[in-house]
Amino acid sequence: MLLTNSKFSRDVIRKYIGKDAVVIYPPVEISDYVKISRNTEREDAVITISRFTPEKNLDLIPFIAQKLKNVKFYLIGSIRGSKSREYMTKIARLKRQLNIDNLEIIANAPHIVKLQLLSKSKVLLHLMPYEHFGIVVVEGMASGCIPVVHKSGGQ
């Protein structure tokens, strides 16, 4: 965790809650992402980075990609166990059933691949409702992507 002594943050908390506080932010190392943020050679591309797990609503992406045929979609997801693999397989099956050719699904991508795809994407899509923070949203913004997030979350 990163602690901050931001006077503004402390003053706002004191004013509206009536308590003295130290503001704690989740750690996000953005130096690799900031390096790619100035790339002006971006595609009409949307990237989603997530764990392959149903609460992330990744199975909506093939339907979105089907409606936006001129946009490239990258879905990078980590697989942790059989349930995660089953969910990725479901999404891949949907891609085939809907005959989607503008969606690339990449499991367990190395960091360099993630950076390459972020550097050429314009939008970061994050579909999980009620996400507490969403570190990947910060990474996407630091990379120069426009975040599109569910309106219920903390982002």
Side-chain angles (χ1 to χ4, degrees):
M1 294 285 175
L2 173 68
L3 297 176
T4 181
N5 279 329
S6 164
K7 182 171 176 4
F8 174 75
S9 298
R10 288 190 328 255
D11 289 348
V12 168
I13 291 168
R14 188 177 303 113
K15 178 179 178 180
Y16 291 101
I17 300 176
K19 305 263 185 211
D20 289 325
V22 174
V23 179
I24 301 174
Y25 296 98
V28 182
E29 177 52 58
I30 61 169
S31 59
D32 286 349
Y33 303 98
V34 171
K35 291 175 190 171
I36 62 174
S37 67
R38 292 176 184 86
N39 182 21
T40 58
E41 307 279 325
R42 293 185 183 257
E43 303 174 357
D44 290 335
V46 174
I47 187 168
T48 299
I49 303 168
S50 179
R51 288 176 285 115
F52 281 109
T53 184
E55 68 269 12
K56 298 289 188 175
N57 289 324
L58 304 176
D59 53 312
L60 298 175
I61 294 173
F63 296 102
I64 297 168
Q66 183 183 43
K67 300 214 178 276
L68 301 171
K69 294 184 186 304
N70 295 329
V71 176
K72 179 72 177 177
F73 286 80
Y74 299 105
L75 171 53
I76 297 177
S78 62
I79 295 177
R80 302 281 190 267
S82 61
K83 294 288 184 194
S84 186
R85 182 165 303 285
E86 287 172 20
Y87 188 61
M88 187 208 68
T89 301
K90 173 185 176 180
I91 297 165
R93 191 176 323 119
L94 268 172
K95 177 187 170 190
R96 285 190 306 277
Q97 289 170 346
L98 297 171
N99 197 27
I100 306 294
D101 60 1
N102 59 329
L103 169 59
E104 188 174 342
I105 301 170
I106 306 161
N108 298 326
H111 185 64
I112 189 69
V113 171
K114 181 173 132 177
L115 290 173
Q116 288 168 344
L117 295 177
L118 278 165
S119 74
K120 64 185 188 176
S121 297
K122 291 181 180 176
V123 172
L124 176 108
L125 178 62
H126 189 72
L127 295 170
M128 182 176 170
Y130 305 103
E131 178 76 78
H132 299 99
F133 180 77
I135 287 176
V136 76
V137 176
V138 175
E139 293 171 345
M141 291 183 340
S143 300
C145 294
I146 298 166
V148 175
V149 301
H150 197 276
K151 70 179 181 177
S152 66
Q155 304 91 326

